[in-house]
Amino acid sequence: EVRLVESGGGLVQAGESLRLSCALSGFTFEDYAIGWFRQAPGKKREAVSCISSSSRFGSTSYPDSVKGRFTISSNGAKDTVYLQMNSLKPEDSAVYYCAAIVLATKCSPYPAEYDTWGQGTQVTVSS
C-alpha cells in the first residue's frame, strides 16, 4: 500500500524558513511523481511543486509566488521528498499536502491526477 506522511510544519515568522518532509512507503515501482500542494481556508488546493522519479522530467515549481523561494528535492534513497521553503510570507500559510502519481513520471498541477495523498501539515507564517 502506497503511503505518504508529511512532517515539518509549524509556526514561523515572516522571512524565516521551514523544511517539509514527505516520507514515502509502499513504492514498489520506479515510475512516480510527487507533488506538494497547499490549501488555505476558503481557497482551492494549489500546486506548489513537483518532482519526478525520472531524471528526464526532473522537478518544477508552479506558482510564480514561490519560484526562487521554494525548492523541492529527494534524498538518495528516494524515500523522502523535501520542500525547502525560504523567505516565508504570511500568504504562504496553509495546510501543505504531498501527493503521488503512481506508474507515471510526468508531474501535474491538477490535484485530480494524483492517486494518493498524505494527511497534511499546517504551516503558519506570522507577520
Side-chain angles (χ1 to χ4, degrees):
E1 178 188 3
V2 170
R3 190 167 178 234
L4 308 171
V5 179
E6 303 97 333
S7 61
L11 171 63
V12 296
Q13 293 189 332
E16 294 185 340
S17 299
L18 275 176
R19 188 176 78 162
L20 304 183
S21 298
C22 175
L24 317 181
S25 61
F27 282 69
T28 58
F29 39 85
E30 293 185 352
D31 294 342
Y32 58 89
I34 303 296
W36 280 101
F37 291 78
R38 64 185 181 186
Q39 188 166 21
K43 294 190 176 182
K44 291 183 178 180
R45 192 164 294 191
E46 174 188 42
V48 175
S49 193
C50 180
I51 189 167
S52 172
S53 64
S54 169
S55 58
R56 175 185 175 191
F57 293 108
S59 63
T60 188
S61 294
Y62 293 107
D64 289 340
S65 61
V66 307
K67 290 179 181 178
R69 297 190 299 123
F70 290 12
T71 303
I72 192 169
S73 63
S74 63
N75 65 352
K78 292 192 175 182
D79 59 5
T80 306
V81 173
Y82 304 101
L83 185 68
Q84 178 68 43
M85 306 186 295
N86 299 328
S87 303
L88 283 162
K89 305 175 181 180
E91 50 265 40
D92 295 318
S93 297
V95 178
Y96 283 71
Y97 300 90
C98 60
I101 297 175
V102 302
L103 301 177
T105 54
K106 193 171 182 181
C107 285
S108 169
Y110 305 111
E113 295 191 14
Y114 287 76
D115 303 294
T116 303
W117 292 79
Q119 82 288 351
T121 186
Q122 177 71 48
V123 172
T124 303
V125 184
S126 63
S127 58

